[in-house]
Every structure is written in C-alpha cells, then in structure tokens.
Amino acid sequence: MANQTPQKNVDDFQLPKGGLIKKLLYIMAFVGPASMICSTSMGPGTATSCIQAGSLFGYDLLWVVVLSGIMCGGVAYIGAKVTAISGQNVFDFIRGKIGKVASTILFIVVLCTWYMVIYSQGSTMRHLNDIMFGEQAASIAYVVTILIIAYLYVASSNNRIIKIASVMCTLMAIIFFINVFFVRPDAGQLATGIIPKLPSGVEQAVIIAGIIGGSAPGTSALWYSYSVKNQKWDKPSALGFIKYDQIVFATMFTIFSLGIFLSGAAVLHPAGIQVASALDAAKAIEPLAGSFGTYIFVAGFWGAVFTTIGGMSTLASYCINSLCHISEDNSDIKVRRLILIGIVISLIGGLSGGNAMNLLVNVMGLLNVGGLVIICILTFFTSSKKFAGEYKNKWYTTLMGIIILAFNVYSAWTYVARFL
C-alpha cells in the first residue's frame, strides 16, 4: 500500500516567533517517527527493570531511570544522524562499511533475537488479559487483541502507523503520569534519588545495566533510521526535525519508565515486597494502591505491550526487506504483509502457556552483542570530520555515544561470559 500522505518539506522547518506554546504546536505538527522506536522500548523488559529497581532499592536508582530516557533518545539520534548525512538507513550504511557477509550475519542475529522478544511480548499480553478479563475470558480477549493489532498495523500506511504509535505513546505517558499521583512519592527521597551514586553491590550494578541496556541498545539506531528514511528525513536539513522528534518521545518514554519505577519505590519497597516482573507487580500492588490504582498500572502496561507488538513487528518487516530486497518502498503491500510474521509469533507466544520472561533473558544477550557492533560503528563515523563534515558530533554527543557503548559492552560481556 503506497503512502498517500504528503510529507512536510524538511527544508521549511523554522521555529516561529512568539511564545513557548506557539513553538510547541509547530514542533508537534512535524514530529512522529520517533514514536515507533519509543513504542518498542515501552515493553516488559523496560517495565521489569524499572519495577525491580524501585521495589529492591527504593528511590536510589531514580537517576538511572532519568538517564535511561536521555540515552534512549541519544542512541536513536546517532542512528538517524547517519541516515541524514549519508541518505542511507543504518542497515545499508553498515553493509557498505563491513561488507555484505558480515552485515548479513549481524542483522540476521539481531532480527532473530528481535522475534524472540516479540514472542515474549505475546506471552506478557496473555497474562495481562488474565488479570484484566479473568482467566475464562482471557483466551478470547487475547486473540481479539492480536487480530486488532494485525489489522491496524498491516492495513495502515507508514504515516498512519506513526500516528497510531504517537497516540499510544502519548496515552501511556499520560496514564503513568496520572499513576504518580496514586503512588504519592516522597518529595525528599525524590530529591535524594536524582543524585547519581556508584552501585552499592553487584545486584544493583546488574539492574543499572539492565535499565540502560534495555532502553538504549545499539539496535535502536537501526530501527529509528528506517522511520527517518520512510519520512524522507534523509538529508542534513532534517537534523533539526530529528532532534525535536527525539526530545518529545524520549520525554514520553521517561515518564513511562518513571511511572513504573515509582510504583516500586513508593508502594512496594516500603512494604518489603520484591517482584520479579511487572506482571508480579500488577498483582502485588492492589492491596497497597487500591483497585483503581492497580487498574491504571495494568491498563498502562497493557497499552504499552499492545503498541510494542505492532511496532516491533513493523520494524522487523523493514529489516527483512533490507535483507531480501523485496521492494524499494517499505509501504509496499508485499513488505506490509511481512508484519504478520511478528504478529503470528506473538500469538504463538501467548497461546503456548507459561511465562516467556526467562526465555527473553536468555536471548537478550544476543541483541546486546549486535547492538554493541552497531553503536560502535555509528558513534565512530558521526564523530569523524571526514564522514560528517560540519555535522560532526559535538563533544557531548560523542560522550553519550561512548557511555551507551560502555553499557552495551557490559551487557554483551555478561552474556558471553556465561559460555566461557
């Protein structure tokens, strides 16, 4: 299906004179592609890391959650910058730098791991339906949910998918912003928690790496570059759009993460309740936050997984198209049908029974290995005067890339060390 919605001319971007509201309305008229990568980050992995951080350590890791939101936008920006300068998506750019064979192996590993994450999302969605609709109606509700996701994402154009993701991300941010008022965090402890501290032990260090690694894997640069290319932001003049796009949706992602984190820090931690996942938290939080507060938490989590399944399946279809050269246009119906691969995998994940979170933990290491290679290459070239010219990274962008790279190295090494 061709994308019939006309694109705004990126060369026309110019902030209007006037007040802040006028400027914000102008920016919001252009932004949107970042909603795709934002929606994929708003999933069980991020939710689990944040709820564990809050329930285990109270407010101590608040600064990490805020940092993860900044890095979520930073890693995607670096990927989009490569696309804006080179005119290529990250897949094609890296293939030109490391060769066809090496790049194919790298992206097949990334794609397979991506589908394993989608499988786990299906399992999570099924368990959320159990909580929301009861076990008797859960199976039917789950299948209907997956069918709705399939219809919305397969039958829609790229622009409509971006609008769906934008709306859902906005709703999730609003829901978890409201959630903050139900959990009533302590202002004094918030002020203390925002101050960075060294990890107090191995367990805290692992959770820190999990939060940063889950929100800012190098693979996010790949996925966002597809959205930027689809939007025709593949020119240096689009860098202003890309910056504001990431600011808006990284802020939404941060609100989502903070809402979940504070449920653990303000409600579960004082009660001495430790949870292994956001699903466990949804069950444990009701006696403490009340039924309506629990419903807000579960509804927000359900919406996040809904958007994640559709968004991840869509981005996976773009990667398959890059590998197999099916069409020059990601809006082509032949590419859109590939979204069904991820949708079917998620359906199987939910109907297979059990909890796929352990499986997800076992395969996420591979995604970190792939992300390490991607962010290393992209940070190097965007920091190079020879490649980027006048658009070379500022020192703080390069520093952020190095920090993100360091967390990806840690996560990848933790995975590889298990086999040594």
Side-chain angles (χ1 to χ4, degrees), residues 120-141:
S120 76
Q121 311 287 17
S123 175
T124 303
M125 178 61 82
R126 170 57 192 270
H127 285 283
L128 285 169
N129 277 298
D130 286 345
I131 296 172
M132 293 181 69
F133 304 107
E135 293 186 7
Q136 291 184 341
S139 295
I140 296 176

Side-chain angles (χ1 to χ4, degrees), residues 94 98 102-103 106-107 110 218-219 367-379 405 408-409 412:
I94 290 181
I98 67 175
S103 63
L106 170 64
F107 289 111
V110 169
T219 48
L367 196 61
N368 289 323
V369 173
L372 164 63
V373 176
I374 293 170
I375 195 61
C376 183
I377 293 172
L378 300 185
T379 300
L405 177 61
N408 276 262
V409 167

Side-chain angles (χ1 to χ4, degrees), residues 91 94-96 98-109 323:
F91 180 99
I94 290 181
R95 180 166 53 190
I98 67 175
K100 184 176 180 180
V101 174
S103 63
T104 299
I105 293 172
L106 170 64
F107 289 111
I108 286 177
V109 169
L323 285 165

Side-chain angles (χ1 to χ4, degrees), residues 299-336:
F301 193 25
W302 184 93
V305 180
F306 181 99
T307 314
T308 302
I309 291 173
M312 292 186 72
S313 298
T314 301
L315 293 173
S317 74
Y318 299 161
C319 190
I320 294 176
N321 186 32
S322 294
L323 285 165
C324 302
H325 307 290
I326 296 168
S327 173
E328 293 293 326
D329 184 2
N330 283 327
S331 295
D332 193 310
I333 188 60
K334 290 180 288 187
V335 180
R336 305 224 65 77

Side-chain angles (χ1 to χ4, degrees), residues 129-401:
N129 277 298
D130 286 345
I131 296 172
M132 293 181 69
F133 304 107
E135 293 186 7
Q136 291 184 341
S139 295
I140 296 176
Y142 173 68
V143 172
V144 170
T145 300
I146 296 299
L147 289 175
I148 292 173
I149 294 173
Y151 174 76
L152 289 176
Y153 282 84
V154 176
S156 300
S157 65
N158 283 327
N159 268 359
R160 184 170 295 178
I161 287 176
I162 286 175
K163 289 178 181 178
I164 292 171
S166 297
V167 170
M168 291 299 291
C169 288
T170 303
L171 286 175
M172 296 312 100
I174 292 172
I175 287 173
F176 281 103
F177 180 76
I178 293 172
N179 182 65
V180 172
F181 293 94
F182 278 93
V183 300
R184 296 188 294 275
D186 181 272
Q189 295 194 59
L190 284 173
T192 302
I194 200 67
I195 301 172
K197 311 172 189 67
L198 290 174
S200 60
V202 175
E203 186 177 21
Q204 196 173 92
V206 169
I207 288 182
I208 291 174
I211 293 173
I212 301 293
S215 61
T219 48
S220 293
L222 166 67
W223 306 124
Y224 185 48
S225 75
Y226 282 121
S227 294
V228 166
K229 184 73 174 175
N230 290 342
Q231 199 73 359
K232 304 189 187 306
W233 288 3
D234 51 352
K235 59 184 75 173
S237 57
L239 287 171
F241 289 85
I242 292 167
K243 178 179 70 174
Y244 284 111
D245 198 35
Q246 281 302 323
I247 288 173
V248 169
F249 286 98
T251 299
M252 291 185 184
F253 172 78
T254 304
I255 293 172
F256 168 84
S257 301
L258 283 173
I260 293 177
F261 169 80
L262 292 174
S263 293
V267 179
L268 300 179
H269 182 71
I273 299 174
Q274 299 180 4
V275 293
S277 72
L279 286 171
D280 293 340
K283 297 173 183 177
I285 206 170
E286 182 170 4
L288 303 168
S291 57
F292 190 72
T294 303
Y295 183 79
I296 289 290
F297 182 90
V298 173
F301 193 25
W302 184 93
V305 180
F306 181 99
T307 314
T308 302
I309 291 173
M312 292 186 72
S313 298
T314 301
L315 293 173
S317 74
Y318 299 161
C319 190
I320 294 176
N321 186 32
S322 294
L323 285 165
C324 302
H325 307 290
I326 296 168
S327 173
E328 293 293 326
D329 184 2
N330 283 327
S331 295
D332 193 310
I333 188 60
K334 290 180 288 187
V335 180
R336 305 224 65 77
R337 287 171 182 160
L338 296 174
I339 297 173
L340 290 172
I341 296 175
I343 301 294
V344 170
I345 289 173
S346 70
L347 179 64
I348 295 171
L351 296 178
S352 63
N355 193 328
M357 289 305 292
N358 290 332
L359 177 63
L360 174 61
V361 170
N362 289 329
V363 300
M364 276 299 287
L366 280 174
L367 196 61
N368 289 323
V369 173
L372 164 63
V373 176
I374 293 170
I375 195 61
C376 183
I377 293 172
L378 300 185
T379 300
F380 173 79
F381 279 99
T382 53
S383 301
S384 166
K385 182 76 172 179
K386 183 178 179 180
F387 167 73
E390 63 180 296
Y391 304 106
K392 175 186 174 183
N393 285 343
K394 302 292 186 183
W395 68 268
Y396 48 82
T397 306
T398 298
L399 177 61
M400 180 178 295

